[in-house]
Amino acid sequence: MKAPTRTARSRKDARQIARLDRAFVWHPFTQMRDWLLQEPIVLVAGKGAVLWDSHGREYLDANSSIWTNLHGHNHPRINRAIRQQLSQVAHISMLGFANEPASRLAGRLVALAAGPGGRPGKKGSQDNPLAGPKLTKVFYSDDGSTAVETALKLAYEYARRTGEKRPRFLSLEGAYHGDTVGAVSLGHIDRFHRAYSGLLFPSGAVMAPYCYRCPYNRAKPERVDARESRRCGWECLDVLQRTLDSARKRGRPYTAFVVEPGMQGAAGMIPQPDGWLSQAVERVRSHGALVIADEVMTAFGRTAGTGGLVGGRRAADRPLFGTHDAGVQADFLCLAKGLSGGYLPIGATLTTDAIFGAFLGSYAEFKTFFHGHSYTGNALGAAAAEANLDLLTEAGSSRRRLELGQVFEAALQTLWSCPWVGDIRRLGLAAGIELVQDWRTRDPFPLAARAGIRVCDAMARRGVLTRPIGNVVILMPPYCTSAAQVRRMVMALNDAIDEIFGQRRL
Ligand SMILES: *Cc1c(COP(=O)(O)O)cnc(C)c1O
């Protein structure tokens, strides 16, 4: 593929851009002292899974631009949808007005959220296999954090209006649900939380089904995904049950359970063993708590449609959401990242008639949901999202994802011969490769060794871009990635590990 002509022009002022960045820009989740030691990669153009920097160097986008991009860069149909909307109007305030793309998108999201065979609006439709209520309303926001924040505030207010004095939330250990203060309060990543502990409200944490490092997994490490080799008695579900029971006994039952269905992303790409989610949701619901599904990473076919209860249906009916894969429906469905195909920031929180109803009343009752942002329901973002849904639901789309997943799986299997690889865990088109000092003992590299960062830097030198989470290297190809490109992504990881740790093979 040839670099777009724009690159030639940009190359001239490449140095100038890098200088401005280093002088004035503060990057997110980045140790800026390290950042300032090297010249940044300035990305100027993209096409499909390929990105070009200001020197004309070519890269593969192996983490879909931080998990957002679904169909590749510069997609003609998403570009066209944005341009068409731009020629009408760029932004209309949702405070007081409706706009075309946001209204259409809401209808389509509700239809999709009804699940394969589900019909929106028909309560308890016979052919809908999903356990749970219908999602009928869409509240727009700007990104994943604000989509979760919306669910949090709605659940809180709903619980208070239905008699709970101090609503409480439960989520998984290692969970990440965003960076706003409410969303951070729902998360349990020590490194992020200690810094802000004084700002946060307390929330409950319960063990996540992290088979590779599960204290109840009696299997010795083998050269297979720990979900397959595990030997346990589902103690993680017993722990969840005990957590719920003891909260109830103390007279402080949980209001809502927040979970990433199928796979925890920022916790380190931790996929749930088949059957965990549906059983966890069943226990949570019999406790009387609501379910908040944070599908900011998992939705739109990223991890879904690859198996599970309704996965065996016609290809066109394969689910797009992690909840649907497990045959469950949440009370809140939080969407962002891939919602616009990775083109523009937009978030959405879907919820039920029951929640919506608790906010209805006369003006003077002030039951209004007092929450929202200036750019909420942005018309350009919604137009991009409509094009994304067109691409996702067209014939052949889910079959292509499934086939790419199989190629991805086969390529990942080659990494087992590397002794520094402890676990390889993939769900759909998202995978985490956990690097360890000793695969027999699962001994992790100390974080100060920056093992993940060094490997990803070495991958970048080989033309493959991604970002680690601690010692876990993430591979998350856009859906348009070719088989050869996927193999190149995995090969770059293999070669980078060899460069950093040595070429030993098992
Ligand atoms: C990325 C992410 C968020 C936060 O989304 P932002 O758009 O970065 O605010 C929340 N939840 C999950 C599961 C995520 O992966």
Side-chain angles (χ1 to χ4, degrees):
M1 216 180 294
K2 236 178 88 230
T5 46
R6 201 182 163 276
T7 306
R9 198 191 64 204
S10 309
R11 207 175 300 162
K12 282 194 220 126
D13 46 32
R15 289 259 135 70
Q16 172 66 359
I17 296 295
R19 207 174 309 129
L20 288 169
D21 177 275
R22 287 158 54 130
F24 302 118
V25 181
W26 189 342
H27 287 259
F29 285 96
T30 300
Q31 177 41 258
M32 290 304 290
R33 200 164 73 178
D34 292 342
W35 177 266
L36 294 174
L37 291 177
Q38 42 190 331
E39 181 167 328
I41 297 174
V42 180
L43 295 170
V44 296
K47 181 81 192 149
V50 177
L51 290 165
W52 287 272
D53 75 6
S54 50
H55 299 287
R57 281 185 297 243
E58 189 175 310
Y59 302 88
L60 289 175
D61 185 356
N63 80 348
S64 294
S65 294
I66 208 72
W67 319 356
T68 60
N69 192 295
L70 302 186
H71 312 287
H73 298 277
N74 230 324
H75 196 290
R77 285 170 58 189
I78 303 181
N79 285 4
R80 195 188 321 133
I82 295 171
R83 264 195 225 105
Q84 249 164 27
Q85 182 56 41
L86 188 58
S87 69
Q88 296 286 321
V89 63
H91 180 62
I92 294 291
S93 167
M94 285 248 134
L95 283 72
F97 307 99
N99 75 63
E100 292 175 310
S103 308
R104 283 194 304 259
L105 176 63
R108 292 182 68 178
L109 288 175
V110 165
L112 279 177
R119 299 282 175 274
K122 268 197 209 158
K123 278 217 180 91
S125 154
Q126 285 298 303
D127 51 356
N128 186 358
L130 299 174
K134 278 246 161 17
L135 299 170
T136 52
K137 299 291 173 191
V138 179
F139 192 95
Y140 284 115
S141 57
D142 304 341
D143 50 48
S145 304
T146 51
V148 170
E149 197 87 14
T150 298
L152 168 69
K153 279 190 171 178
L154 285 175
Y156 180 87
E157 252 322 272
Y158 172 78
R160 298 213 325 144
R161 285 170 195 196
T162 51
E164 270 179 61
K165 287 212 176 60
R166 288 172 56 201
R168 296 174 75 214
F169 294 83
L170 180 67
S171 47
L172 296 180
E173 276 167 12
Y176 173 80
H177 296 294
D179 291 336
T180 52
V181 168
V184 175
S185 297
L186 297 174
H188 301 286
I189 298 181
D190 278 354
R191 268 194 309 294
F192 302 172
H193 286 78
R194 233 174 281 135
Y196 305 111
S197 57
L199 266 180
L200 308 176
F201 66 82
S203 68
V206 65
M207 86 176 289
Y210 184 4
C211 299
Y212 181 60
R213 294 196 179 280
C214 179
Y216 300 108
N217 181 1
R218 298 183 303 277
K220 284 217 171 67
E222 283 178 40
R223 307 312 279 162
V224 292
D225 185 326
R227 283 173 297 172
E228 287 165 36
S229 64
R230 84 197 144 92
R231 281 175 45 222
C232 72
W234 286 106
E235 287 88 345
C236 53
L237 288 169
D238 299 340
V239 171
L240 172 63
Q241 189 65 57
R242 283 202 299 276
T243 304
L244 297 170
D245 290 346
S246 80
R248 175 162 301 288
K249 217 178 288 159
R250 285 183 319 228
R252 302 281 317 277
Y254 285 104
T255 306
F257 177 57
V258 190
V259 66
E260 284 183 83
M263 185 185 231
Q264 284 182 281
M269 294 295 143
I270 301 173
Q272 296 143 16
D274 266 352
W276 178 85
L277 183 66
S278 55
Q279 295 183 72
V281 164
E282 206 179 296
R283 283 162 164 79
V284 164
R285 284 230 161 96
S286 32
H287 178 77
L290 300 164
V291 176
I292 300 177
D294 177 354
E295 295 228 30
V296 171
M297 186 278 281
T298 54
F300 304 115
R302 174 54 73 186
T303 63
T306 52
L309 282 186
V310 281
R313 293 185 160 221
R314 279 195 311 123
D317 274 352
R318 285 220 179 82
L320 289 174
F321 302 106
T323 34
H324 294 185
D325 242 356
V328 302
Q329 187 70 289
D331 300 276
F332 296 92
L333 180 63
C334 306
L335 305 171
K337 285 202 171 99
L339 173 55
S340 68
Y343 280 62
L344 288 161
I346 182 167
T349 307
L350 276 65
T351 192
T352 63
D353 279 344
I355 304 290
F356 183 69
F359 290 79
L360 299 178
S362 74
Y363 179 81
E365 283 179 276
F366 298 117
K367 285 183 162 184
T368 305
F369 183 38
F370 293 107
H371 177 95
H373 310 288
S374 313
Y375 281 98
T376 283
N378 175 255
L380 294 176
E386 283 191 276
N388 168 41
L389 296 186
D390 288 342
L391 291 168
L392 280 172
T393 52
E394 74 184 6
S397 163
S398 75
R399 183 177 42 76
R400 279 196 303 275
R401 282 200 305 282
L402 216 64
E403 285 168 4
L404 184 60
Q406 284 158 2
V407 174
F408 191 23
E409 178 68 27
L412 288 169
Q413 291 302 314
T414 65
L415 295 174
W416 284 119
S417 67
C418 176
W420 320 112
V421 167
D423 196 25
I424 301 171
R425 31 187 196 256
R426 177 190 74 92
L427 191 63
L429 292 173
I433 295 90
E434 184 161 340
L435 305 174
V436 290
Q437 274 187 337
D438 184 342
W439 72 269
R440 286 169 205 282
T441 58
R442 305 187 183 96
D443 257 5
F445 285 104
L447 282 183
R450 299 167 70 245
I453 295 175
R454 282 154 63 213
V455 166
C456 289
D457 284 349
M459 288 173 75
R461 293 196 288 275
R462 288 167 172 77
V464 173
L465 300 180
T466 185
R467 211 183 146 82
I469 298 168
N471 294 327
V472 181
V473 176
I474 312 304
L475 289 180
M476 210 186 267
Y479 305 166
C480 64
T481 308
S482 72
Q485 287 171 328
V486 161
R487 290 189 197 104
R488 255 177 59 209
M489 289 174 184
V490 176
M491 187 60 75
L493 169 56
N494 180 83
D495 295 349
I497 295 173
D498 282 357
E499 177 193 322
I500 302 294
F501 302 116
Q503 275 199 1
R504 247 176 63 210
R505 280 288 171 279
L506 293 175

